[in-house]
Amino acid sequence: PENNPDTPFSFTPENLKICDAIIKNYPVGHEAAAVIPILDLAQRQHGWLPISAMHATADLLKMPNMRVYEVATFYTMFNREPVGKYFVQICTTTPCMLGGVGSDVILQAIKDDLGINPGET
């Protein structure tokens, strides 16, 4: 798989400065609360979020790798595999499926029009 600890990643000097600014928004002793914005920055830098970026985030925030994994795997905003040029997400929870035109109808229209299924490019 492409997402493995050997995937090269390190924050750019510019992004390290941004990380420092983000961390300063949190009280001393609660720097780990910056995990979401820093993971987002790592993903924006790399295009997706490899394990090596999660490790760099954990090191930066002085928190266990597992805690960073928990956050990265919980939120759908983090792409743990490379994505295509155009990344489309559709809410498929029950509230999104309800109503006149629910997400299931939208998903079917995309499948029919583009000829792709969820997870494909």
Side-chain angles (χ1 to χ4, degrees), residues 2 9-10 24-25 52 74 89 100 112 114 119-120:
E2 290 191 53
F9 179 86
S10 60
K24 287 179 183 175
N25 288 318
S52 52
F74 180 80
Q89 280 186 299
D112 295 343
L114 299 178
E120 296 179 346

Side-chain angles (χ1 to χ4, degrees), residues 71-92:
V71 173
T73 58
F74 180 80
Y75 292 100
T76 58
M77 65 187 271
F78 296 119
N79 304 311
R80 292 173 288 118
E81 295 293 333
V83 295
K85 181 177 180 182
Y86 300 105
F87 182 67
V88 178
Q89 280 186 299
I90 299 171
C91 173
T92 56

Side-chain angles (χ1 to χ4, degrees), residues 19-85:
C19 287
D20 288 340
I22 291 169
I23 293 168
K24 287 179 183 175
N25 288 318
Y26 298 90
V28 173
H30 298 278
E31 294 86 355
V35 67
I36 291 175
I38 291 179
L39 283 173
D40 180 60
L41 183 63
Q43 179 169 275
R44 288 171 190 269
Q45 175 182 311
H46 194 76
W48 58 284
L49 193 63
I51 291 173
S52 52
M54 294 181 220
H55 289 178
T57 300
D59 292 344
L60 188 66
L61 295 174
K62 299 175 183 73
M63 60 190 292
N65 289 343
M66 190 63 205
R67 295 291 170 243
V68 176
Y69 299 158
E70 289 170 346
V71 173
T73 58
F74 180 80
Y75 292 100
T76 58
M77 65 187 271
F78 296 119
N79 304 311
R80 292 173 288 118
E81 295 293 333
V83 295
K85 181 177 180 182

